Amino acid sequence: QVQLVESGGGLVQAGGSLRLSCAASGRTFSSYAMGWFRQAPGKEREFVSAISWSIGSTYYADSVKGRFTISRDNAKKMVYLQMNSLKPEDTAVYYCAATRVFGSTVETTYTYWGQGTQVTVSS
């Protein structure tokens, strides 16, 4: 069992930055790759980024590549999403999730999910 809790969301102006955090707990956490998804109002949840646990390989959606950076701190069981140059279209609820399939962009392959944190980007 893995528990995930996101934090760090908020309201920011276009062009600004936010850093999301995901705190994980559970004895088997180290065997999971981690991902971030987001869901905007009226839209389906979409993949944002993923990171492997053991060697830190990363993967990004084209819409955030070059602006967002995913990272992790193994000792603290934390995963982060640094978001720079934010745009109004980045407004969404952001979810942290755990999977055994690194690089998957499909939400059904993710086993555990956090409750989400709201990010709002004003123009």
Side-chain angles (χ1 to χ4, degrees), residues 2 4-6 22 29 32-37 45 49-51 70 79 94-100 106-107 109-115:
V2 176
L4 304 171
V5 179
E6 303 96 334
C22 175
F29 178 70
Y32 287 86
M34 299 299 296
W36 287 95
F37 285 75
R45 190 153 53 183
S49 183
I51 187 167
I70 190 171
V79 181
Y94 283 72
Y95 298 90
C96 175
T99 178
R100 292 191 183 274
V106 179
E107 64 176 285
T109 64
Y110 285 76
T111 308
Y112 300 104
W113 292 81
Q115 83 289 349

Side-chain angles (χ1 to χ4, degrees), residues 29-77:
F29 178 70
S30 61
S31 64
Y32 287 86
M34 299 299 296
W36 287 95
F37 285 75
R38 65 186 182 186
Q39 187 168 22
K43 296 186 177 181
E44 294 185 352
R45 190 153 53 183
E46 64 175 2
F47 171 80
V48 175
S49 183
I51 187 167
S52 68
W53 195 249
S54 59
I55 61 175
S57 298
T58 58
Y59 187 61
Y60 297 94
D62 288 342
S63 59
V64 305
K65 200 172 295 183
R67 300 188 298 122
F68 290 12
T69 303
I70 190 171
S71 62
R72 82 281 191 263
D73 184 327
N74 292 352
K76 295 182 179 179
K77 292 187 177 179

Side-chain angles (χ1 to χ4, degrees), residues 4-12 18-23 35-41 45-46 48 68 78-83 86 90-97 113-121:
L4 304 171
V5 179
E6 303 96 334
S7 62
L11 174 65
V12 64
L18 280 175
R19 188 176 83 154
L20 305 184
S21 299
C22 175
W36 287 95
F37 285 75
R38 65 186 182 186
Q39 187 168 22
R45 190 153 53 183
E46 64 175 2
V48 175
F68 290 12
M78 295 290 295
V79 181
Y80 305 100
L81 186 67
Q82 178 66 44
M83 306 186 295
L86 283 162
D90 294 318
T91 294
V93 176
Y94 283 72
Y95 298 90
C96 175
W113 292 81
Q115 83 289 349
T117 186
Q118 176 71 47
V119 171
T120 302
V121 184

